[in-house]
């Protein structure tokens, strides 16, 4: 048997699907029947945690779990059923997109009276709310840029060069202390949170798990390379104004210099990245593969759909008004 590795501890199960996957990873229980995925809520705790567990084997794995299970055929069969349920729900529930130019232009529009999480926190930040927000986002930001790296071997020319340039910045431009995942860990330390990778998985809302799973779904399937580029575009284009609001929220709540810096860094970096991703990555990919335009739009729209679900959950938890 392959040597077992470190990594975060396995989380608590949230239903039959996740319990079966956890039992299989521990080596003391049978996998769930793939058909169970068809009956589960595709956005619910159980399916999203089970899918997250399957995907995490492609990142850092879990403590005391055999790394060879990353390519276990039986587990991959279950993962495929979970993916089908999740992707089918997204294709059913996300409205058909408009043209790519209109979709990209829409990302640049800032509402006069914004009602999202960053708008709320800018005006009503408290240390407890910022801690709760950081706990959720840690499931993404402590692996920031990793899922997008999977698209690099699937691109060429201008798109590959542009994507690699942005990823280089995300990974600290050769400076380990400037890796964006490390900057977020520093933010968490300022807020008095545990900084270990995967520490807060048990506290992750299904809406947050779904967002992370979306990146892994797009990244691990070559057929979805256009959707991953769309997801990346949505993140980079919308990041700068939201980061400006969150930097103000951190300052207002006295969160600390590292907490502020994480977002001020993104204000500057992502303003540049927005231009590169739009003109080099997206346009370069379309020059090579124009048939991928609907997939790019799908990636953008599904990102917005799942971000809105997470935002509504957080605002409801905080007793804040949620846009209709």
């Amino acid at each position: 048997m392959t040597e077992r590795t470190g990594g975060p501890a396995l989380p608590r199960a949230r239903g039959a699907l996740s319990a079966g996957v956890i039992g299989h990873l521990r080596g003391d229980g049978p996998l769930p029947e793939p058909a169970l995925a068809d009956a589960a809520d595709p956005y619910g705790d159980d399916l999203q945690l089970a899918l997250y567990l399957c995907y995490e084997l492609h990142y850092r794995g879990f403590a005391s779990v055999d790394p060879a299970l990353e390519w276990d055929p039986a587990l991959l069969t279950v993962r495929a059923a979970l993916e089908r349920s999740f992707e089918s729900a997204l294709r059913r529930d996300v409205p058909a997109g408009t043209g790519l130019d209109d979709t990209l232009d829409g990302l640049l529009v800032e509402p006069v009276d914004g009602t999202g999480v960053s708008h709320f926190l800018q005006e009503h930040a408290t240390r407890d709310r910022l801690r709760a927000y950081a706990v959720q986002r840690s499931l993404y930001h402590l692996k920031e840029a990793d899922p997008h790296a999977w698209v690099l071997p699937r691109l060429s020319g201008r798109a590959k060069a542009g994507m690699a340039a942005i990823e280089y910045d995300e990974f600290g431009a050769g400076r380990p202390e400037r890796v964006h995942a490390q900057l977020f860990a520093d933010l968490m330390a300022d807020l008095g949170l545990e900084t270990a990778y995967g520490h807060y998985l048990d506290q992750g809302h299904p809406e947050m798990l779904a967002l992370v799973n979306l990146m892994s779904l797009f990244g691990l399937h070559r057929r979805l390379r256009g959707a991953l580029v769309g997801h990346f575009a949505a993140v980079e284009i919308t990041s700068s104004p939201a980061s400006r609001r969150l930097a103000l929220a951190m300052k207002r709540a006295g969160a600390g210099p590292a907490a502020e810096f994480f977002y001020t860094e993104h204000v500057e970096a992502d303003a540049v990245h927005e231009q590169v991703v739009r003109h080099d990555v997206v346009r370069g990919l379309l020059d090579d593969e124009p048939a991928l335009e609907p997939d790019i739009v799908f990636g953008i729209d599904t990102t917005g759909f799942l971000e809105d679900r997470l935002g509504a959950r957080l605002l409801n938890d905080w007793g804040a008004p949620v846009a209709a």
Side-chain angles (χ1 to χ4, degrees), residues 233-273:
V235 171
E236 295 298 323
I237 292 172
T238 60
S239 173
S240 188
S243 292
R244 184 176 294 107
R245 290 188 287 271
L246 290 167
L248 290 171
M250 294 292 173
K251 183 175 183 178
R252 179 164 296 174
E260 289 183 47
F261 182 74
F262 176 80
Y263 288 109
T264 57
E265 166 72 6
H266 280 71
V267 171
E268 298 175 9
D270 291 343
V272 176
H273 293 172

Side-chain angles (χ1 to χ4, degrees), residues 1 3-10 25-27 61-67 69:
M1 177 175 289
E3 183 182 353
R4 294 169 186 258
T5 63
L10 285 167
L25 295 180
R26 284 197 308 240
F62 294 97
S64 301
V65 170
D66 184 356
L69 288 172

Side-chain angles (χ1 to χ4, degrees), residues 93-167:
D93 296 337
V94 177
T98 59
L100 179 59
D101 287 337
D102 288 342
T103 301
L104 289 171
D105 289 343
L107 294 176
L108 295 170
V109 176
E110 278 281 291
V112 175
D113 298 313
T115 57
V117 167
S118 65
H119 291 89
F120 178 78
L121 288 175
Q122 180 180 346
E123 300 299 327
H124 306 287
T126 65
R127 197 170 179 87
D128 284 345
R129 286 170 179 161
L130 294 175
R131 283 167 58 89
Y133 182 69
V135 162
Q136 296 302 316
R137 299 302 300 195
S138 70
L139 298 180
Y140 162 56
H141 282 304
L142 292 182
K143 59 160 57 84
E144 185 171 351
D146 290 349
H148 301 121
W150 279 318
V151 83
L152 283 169
R154 295 158 184 179
L155 302 176
S156 61
R158 186 155 55 105
K160 182 191 281 285
M163 191 76 188
I166 298 173
E167 287 283 270

Side-chain angles (χ1 to χ4, degrees), residues 154-213:
R154 295 158 184 179
L155 302 176
S156 61
R158 186 155 55 105
K160 182 191 281 285
M163 191 76 188
I166 298 173
E167 287 283 270
Y168 181 66
D169 284 349
E170 299 282 345
F171 290 129
R175 298 171 59 187
E177 74 278 7
R178 295 298 294 267
V179 172
H180 283 193
Q182 179 59 53
L183 295 181
F184 194 80
D186 297 340
L187 172 152
M188 296 178 74
D190 261 5
L191 290 170
L193 295 169
E194 172 58 57
T195 63
Y197 179 93
H199 178 81
Y200 290 107
L201 178 53
D202 268 326
Q203 294 175 235
H205 297 329
E207 295 86 355
M208 189 67 234
L209 297 179
L211 264 171
V212 180
N213 286 339

